[in-house]
Amino acid sequence: MFSSRIESLHILEAACWQELQRAATDRRHGWRLMTLATVNGDEADARSVVLREARRGPQELVFYTDARAGKVQQIARQPKGTLVMWSRELAWQLRLRVQLSVDTDGPDVAQRWAEVRRTRSAADYLAGVAPGSELPTPLVPERASREHFAVVTARVLSIDWTELHEDGHRRAIFQADHATWVQP
């Protein structure tokens, strides 16, 4: 938590990335669980995803999914999306326009799977049926192989930051090499 309100756009953008990096490792951070909106035909489709990594240099966020999930097909058809997150502690909302890509193979995916397979999260990618499939009972289906584990990279195109504050709400937009204050 910041002791005073940030007035510099440059420092504010750095603070957003600092908080994103913290959220990737702190399970209690409000930004750890993000809402991802993608396009499904002519409708928006939103769901929660867990932030696993934030890289300021290339401006990328990483989360995992089952390669058979509907969002993977949606990303293949339209690779742009929006991530939304809220931190009650900071009273900050972020809306990130992102370019999405999905990897299901290669050394980067294998390295991440080596870490995930030792955790309870591994079961999320080992189901014998695709996410959304009907089940005869609510029991966990038989486990399959890791072949369904996928890494999604979201390259941040813009950050729309909003702060809710008793002394007045504020909003700023960060795009490539341009930042500006805007009316909330």
Side-chain angles (χ1 to χ4, degrees):
M1 183 89 175
F2 300 96
S3 58
S4 62
R5 294 180 89 183
I6 299 170
E7 300 299 330
S8 160
L9 286 169
H10 177 72
I11 294 171
L12 179 58
E13 183 179 21
C16 287
W17 280 101
Q18 176 185 344
E19 289 298 323
L20 285 165
Q21 289 169 329
R22 188 168 71 92
T25 58
D26 180 354
R27 292 174 181 250
R28 294 181 309 273
H29 196 292
W31 292 353
R32 175 95 167 157
L33 191 62
M34 313 176 290
T35 300
L36 169 67
T38 54
V39 177
N40 185 14
D42 60 353
E43 297 180 353
D45 195 3
R47 82 286 288 150
S48 297
V49 295
V50 177
L51 177 61
R52 302 294 182 174
E53 189 176 335
R55 301 185 292 236
R56 183 173 183 198
Q59 298 209 334
E60 294 175 340
L61 305 179
V62 174
F63 59 91
Y64 306 149
T65 191
D66 185 306
R68 301 165 296 175
K71 66 180 151 292
V72 173
Q73 288 77 39
Q74 293 166 10
I75 291 168
R77 287 191 296 273
Q78 174 52 268
K80 290 191 178 173
T82 300
L83 286 164
V84 180
M85 53 203 77
W86 165 253
S87 168
R88 182 180 186 149
E89 175 188 1
L90 297 167
W92 290 3
Q93 172 188 269
L94 287 188
R95 289 187 308 152
L96 309 173
R97 282 188 330 106
V98 295
Q99 181 78 31
L100 300 159
S101 61
V102 179
D103 292 314
T104 57
D105 200 14
D108 190 44
V109 174
Q111 181 263 329
R112 283 187 166 89
W113 176 251
E115 295 170 9
V116 170
R117 75 175 179 199
R118 294 185 301 256
T119 70
R120 286 181 290 170
S121 298
D124 297 341
Y125 315 104
L126 295 172
V129 296
S133 298
E134 287 190 31
L135 299 174
T137 66
L139 300 176
V140 176
E142 185 178 319
R143 293 179 127 195
S145 71
R146 85 123 185 122
E147 67 190 55
H148 307 300
F149 178 73
V151 176
V152 181
T153 302
R155 187 172 52 84
V156 177
L157 304 174
S158 69
I159 298 174
D160 187 333
W161 169 88
T162 303
E163 175 189 52
L164 301 182
H165 196 279
E166 62 188 23
D167 293 336
H169 306 324
R170 298 184 308 164
R171 183 174 170 205
I173 297 180
F174 304 92
Q175 297 174 320
D177 295 326
H178 180 70
T180 186
W181 294 105
V182 295
Q183 176 64 30

